[in-house]
Amino acid sequence: MSPAYLVGSLKPLARINYLFALLVLLFPQSSLSHTLHASGEDYSLFLQRLSPTEGLSQSEVTQIAQDNVGFIWIATRMGLNRYDGYTIKRVLGPNSIFEQEEIYALHLGEQGYMWVSTVASGIYRVNPLTLEAEQFTDGRMPKSNKPFSVVADFEQNDPNHLWLAL
């Protein structure tokens, strides 16, 4: 099945609002937060707390990304979550691997898939709509069975080439 249905993007204003909300959520005691309160604006009406109580797999967040559909992906030390603005959906992965692994990095690929790097189980490609995950590497060096460094970051310069930072 072609991932062409995933093509699209958020409007610039929606992207700015998303980033602004994340900054306020991640740094509530920062000068940015104090400046907002001093300006008389009440942004708490637009913010929502996300924690294990609301369905997040774990409270220690390692990465956040947004896909082309608008879902917010939240990686934690023990799980991967997809947030649609209302509810959190835990993404289990093959054999529930994402519930057992620390998710180290997320990357939205040019074809619309979410690339997921785990600490010890390699790299996976996840379809944002079906949540089907496919393992691309198992985290081991070929012919030696020795683990290599975790993929710390991804970069994609065209749809057919994905660069990995080890």
Side-chain angles (χ1 to χ4, degrees), residues 5-154:
Y5 61 89
L6 298 176
V7 176
S9 64
L10 289 178
K11 296 178 182 175
L13 183 58
R15 208 172 281 269
I16 291 169
N17 287 339
Y18 159 72
L19 292 173
F20 175 72
L22 280 178
L23 284 173
V24 174
L25 284 173
L26 294 175
F27 305 102
Q29 301 302 323
S30 71
S31 60
L32 171 66
S33 180
H34 292 297
T35 302
L36 293 175
H37 284 295
S39 70
E41 300 287 338
D42 185 8
Y43 290 98
S44 64
L45 300 172
F46 306 104
L47 302 177
Q48 185 175 9
R49 175 187 170 93
L50 299 178
S51 71
T53 304
E54 287 78 31
L56 201 59
S57 60
Q58 205 255 352
S59 62
E60 193 170 342
V61 174
T62 57
Q63 289 271 303
I64 298 174
Q66 185 173 18
D67 65 25
N68 293 335
V69 180
F71 294 120
I72 306 296
W73 293 75
I74 304 167
T76 70
R77 296 250 179 238
M78 294 302 277
L80 180 62
N81 309 270
R82 186 187 74 181
Y83 179 61
D84 65 5
Y86 301 99
T87 58
I88 297 171
K89 171 80 175 164
R90 290 185 184 182
V91 181
L92 301 178
N95 299 317
S96 299
I97 192 66
F98 297 151
E99 290 281 305
Q100 306 162 30
E101 271 288 342
E102 177 179 345
I103 308 301
Y104 195 83
L106 296 174
H107 173 75
L108 178 63
E110 288 189 17
Q111 295 178 334
Y113 292 102
M114 185 61 65
W115 290 89
V116 179
S117 170
T118 64
V119 169
S121 296
I123 302 167
Y124 297 82
R125 183 178 77 170
V126 180
N127 181 315
L129 298 179
T130 65
L131 302 182
E132 292 179 21
E134 178 182 3
Q135 188 177 33
F136 271 75
T137 68
D138 64 2
R140 305 222 175 257
M141 295 296 277
K143 299 181 184 177
S144 71
N145 207 29
K146 294 180 183 176
F148 62 87
S149 295
V150 65
V151 172
D153 202 2
F154 301 88

